Structure formats: structure tokens, C-alpha cells
Amino acid sequence: MKKFINSTVFILVWAQITFGQENLITNGSFENIDSCYGDPAGLGFDVFQWSGCVGWSCPTYGSSDLWCADPVFGSQSPPLIPSFGYQYPKTGEAMGGIFVFVQHEEYREYIQNELVEPLQNDIYYHFSMYISNSFYDETFSSSTSCMQVYFSEFAIYQPLSYLPVPVTPQIKNSPSNFYTDTLNWILFEGTFKANGGEKYVTIGCFENDTSIPLSIEVTDTTGGDIYFFI
């Protein structure tokens, strides 16, 4: 049997059973929320929990973002998010955002989802989501190919650190496949065989700065940060 993790907006984890497919990602499009926070999240602030975004959390001290329509706090919402970029959500009214690289400081942001049910042993799962490079630093046109996904039995919880999480992701983008498109949503996908019991999926870049593939047209002491809309 082969099970799939696929997505229409953000991520779907779905299982191919005899007559259909079961989505295993909870709230794959970020649409099931109680309220919306309309500013960039601060360090250590879990905007997903604050917003009541079902199934999602920020697993580290990094300040991952949730962008959605009609915020109850602040005023930034898609498509125009000052200092971050211009992008419409792929579907619906919400999208995530993470820094995958920051120039001159080892810093990562992640988003984490609790799956609908644990994965099964020796079953193949397919995962997919969509990414758009915000060109956060437009002057330097920075990009990277580092996008990875890690499935785990227990939730990642790194509340005092924004360093790369020291795990080995099961699904990785090709190092040569750089995300440079700021207009369109680009598909990221992959398949892996589960050990069984995996209940959480964490999304981001798990590489250290010395290993992350980078393309930065011009560098100085101020530029080069890379932010992806999810």
C-alpha cells in the first residue's frame, strides 16, 4: 500500500486507500483559525497558537509568521505585506511565512503540524506543498534550495533557540533547485517510507549555514536574508 501527503494550499498528507485518499495534514490551508494577527511575530511568540490556527504551531524560538485577511491586531495582510513582499495565498485567505536563512547570523524558522493520525510502519507517504520566494531583501535577490520536511513521533520543542534543529529530514529539495520565483507558487514534493508512529511534521531548512546552498547576487553587511511564503 502507498500513502500520500499532498496539498492544494499548503500541505496535505493523504493516504491512498482502496477507493480514495485520506488527507493527514490538519488544517492544510491555515483557514481554520479563531482570529488573525496582522504583524510579524516576535521572537518566542507562537502566532499560530495565538490565532487559534488548528493543528499548527511554531516549534522553536524563531518568529514564524501567519498572514491572513482581516487581522484583529495590526494591519498587515495579503497580498501586500510591507517589508516582506507581495503575494496572494495560493487558495483561501491565509498563508505561512518563514526565514530559511539570515545573513551573518545562524537563524532558522519552522512551522509544525500535528497529523490527523500517526503514520504506519513501512508505508510510503507522499508529501507536497507550495512555496514562493518573498525576495525579502529585494536589493540582493537572494535565494536558496533549502526546503526540507521532518516527520517525528513527538513534537519538536526548542523554545529557547532559533538555531537549526539538529535532525535528519526525510524529504529534501534538490540542492540545485533554487526557489527564485516571487510571482508564482512553486510545488515542493517528495515520498518517504514511514517507521510508524510519526505524528508531527516540521517544515523548514535544517541545514547549518556552512551547508545551505545559497544564491546571493550582491552581499554586504546588510543584505541576503531569505524568506519564503508557504
Side-chain angles (χ1 to χ4, degrees), residues 101-138:
F101 175 78
V102 172
Q103 187 82 306
H104 307 301
E105 182 175 13
E106 191 126 34
Y107 177 86
R108 298 287 184 275
E109 293 180 356
Y110 302 91
I111 53 178
Q112 183 169 250
N113 185 265
E114 182 175 2
L115 302 177
V116 173
E117 62 185 41
L119 305 186
Q120 299 178 34
N121 180 48
D122 287 339
I123 297 297
Y124 284 90
Y125 290 85
H126 186 79
F127 173 94
S128 69
M129 68 179 188
Y130 287 89
I131 300 169
S132 181
N133 189 333
S134 75
F135 270 6
Y136 173 79
D137 188 342
E138 294 185 4

Side-chain angles (χ1 to χ4, degrees), residues 36-40 67-68 70-78 80-82:
C36 183
Y37 190 81
D39 276 339
W67 305 109
C68 45
D70 301 319
V72 300
F73 179 89
S75 60
Q76 300 185 43
S77 62
L80 178 59
I81 304 172

Side-chain angles (χ1 to χ4, degrees), residues 160-178:
L160 301 179
S161 174
Y162 50 61
L163 295 174
V165 177
V167 298
T168 302
Q170 294 93 337
I171 298 176
K172 301 180 181 182
N173 181 43
S174 168
S176 62
N177 182 32
F178 280 74

Side-chain angles (χ1 to χ4, degrees), residues 203-221:
I203 297 149
C205 175
F206 297 90
E207 303 292 339
N208 296 321
D209 280 1
T210 55
S211 301
I212 182 173
L214 293 172
S215 174
I216 301 175
E217 292 185 7
V218 182
T219 58
D220 66 6
T221 58

